Amino acid sequence: MEKRTYHHGSLREALVTAGVTLARTGGPDAVVLRAASREAGVSHNAAYRHFANHEDLLAAVAARCMEQLGRLMLARTAEATAAEPDAGAEARAWARLEAIGRAYVDFALTEHGWFRTAFCGAAPDPERHPPTRPEPGSDPYLLLSARLDELVDAGALPPERRPGAEYAAWSAVHGLAHLLTDGPLHDLPPAGIRGATDTVLASIARGL
C-alpha cells in the first residue's frame, strides 16, 4: 500500500477521519490504530506519535461521532422552525424540542455505528489530550439545554422546573434509542418505531 505524507497536524486529523469512517460501519470495535493507519495510508508507528493507544484514538472518534449527532439535531431544528414560520413562541419551542428528540432516535437507527461509538465511554490519554468533547455548536447536550431554555423563555416551562430537566429528557430518549437498536425493541416495524417515539416524546412533554 502506498504511504501518504502528512504535515504533523494533519496526520492526527487524518487518523480521526479514518476512525470515523471505520466506526460508521463497524462501531467502536472497528476503531483500532492499525486499521485507522491503514485507512489513512500511513504506517502503524506513525499513529503512535499522535495517539497513545486504541482508547486514545477512540475517544477522539467518539467526540466526532457525537458531533454528527449534533449536526443532525441542528438540521432538524432548522426544519421545524421553517415548517411553522407563523407559529407562536411556545408552539415553536415545543416543535424544536420534539425535532431534536426525533433526530436522536433517527440517528441511532440510521447511523448505528456512529451512535454506539459516540456513547462508548472511551477516555483520551490524560498526558496527551484533554477530555474530548464535541464542538460547542454541535454538542447534543448543549443543544438540548438550549431547547429547554427556549421553553422557559417562551413561557412553556416554569423556571423552577428547568434545573435538571435535560437529564430526564435525555435519559428517556436515549433509553428508547438503545431499546430500538440493541435491545428487545430492535425488531419493531416502522409504524411501531413511530408509535414508541411519539409516546416517549409525549411523556417528556407532560413531565416538563
Side-chain angles (χ1 to χ4, degrees):
M1 179 181 65
E2 180 183 354
K3 299 299 182 182
R4 302 173 195 168
T5 301
Y6 294 93
H7 294 296
H8 181 77
S10 63
L11 175 54
R12 184 179 190 278
E13 176 62 24
L15 289 166
V16 174
T17 299
V20 171
T21 299
L22 294 166
R24 190 171 200 175
T25 54
D29 293 341
V31 184
V32 294
L33 279 168
R34 188 173 297 277
S37 300
R38 187 164 53 246
E39 179 76 20
V42 299
S43 71
H44 186 216
N45 289 336
Y48 280 104
R49 293 200 289 270
H50 296 273
F51 296 100
N53 50 41
H54 154 255
E55 187 170 11
D56 196 20
L57 170 64
L58 183 56
V61 173
R64 197 66 58 82
C65 292
M66 194 74 81
E67 288 176 16
Q68 294 292 340
L69 170 57
R71 291 190 183 104
L72 180 61
M73 293 166 72
L74 279 170
R76 294 293 180 81
T77 300
E79 290 172 7
T81 303
E84 299 188 65
D86 300 323
E90 184 171 338
R92 185 166 54 250
W94 282 118
R96 285 157 64 88
L97 178 66
E98 178 181 333
I100 66 170
R102 293 189 187 280
Y104 197 103
V105 174
D106 288 348
F107 185 84
L109 293 170
T110 61
E111 297 290 359
H112 189 205
W114 279 350
F115 181 76
R116 291 177 58 234
T117 303
F119 295 99
C120 68
D125 181 84
E127 296 184 1
R128 293 200 184 196
H129 310 297
T132 308
R133 289 194 60 82
E135 291 295 324
S138 55
D139 185 323
Y141 177 81
L142 296 181
L143 293 172
L144 172 58
S145 296
R147 299 286 68 77
L148 293 169
D149 290 342
E150 186 177 18
L151 285 174
V152 174
D153 294 340
L157 176 63
E160 63 272 15
R161 300 186 65 174
R162 170 64 184 87
E166 60 268 40
Y167 306 135
W170 194 327
S171 297
V173 174
H174 185 81
L176 174 62
H178 179 71
L179 290 171
L180 291 172
T181 53
D182 293 314
L185 301 183
H186 72 277
D187 57 353
L188 276 183
I193 293 172
R194 288 193 299 271
T197 305
D198 291 345
T199 298
V200 169
L201 294 177
S203 297
I204 292 171
R206 286 195 300 271
L208 292 174

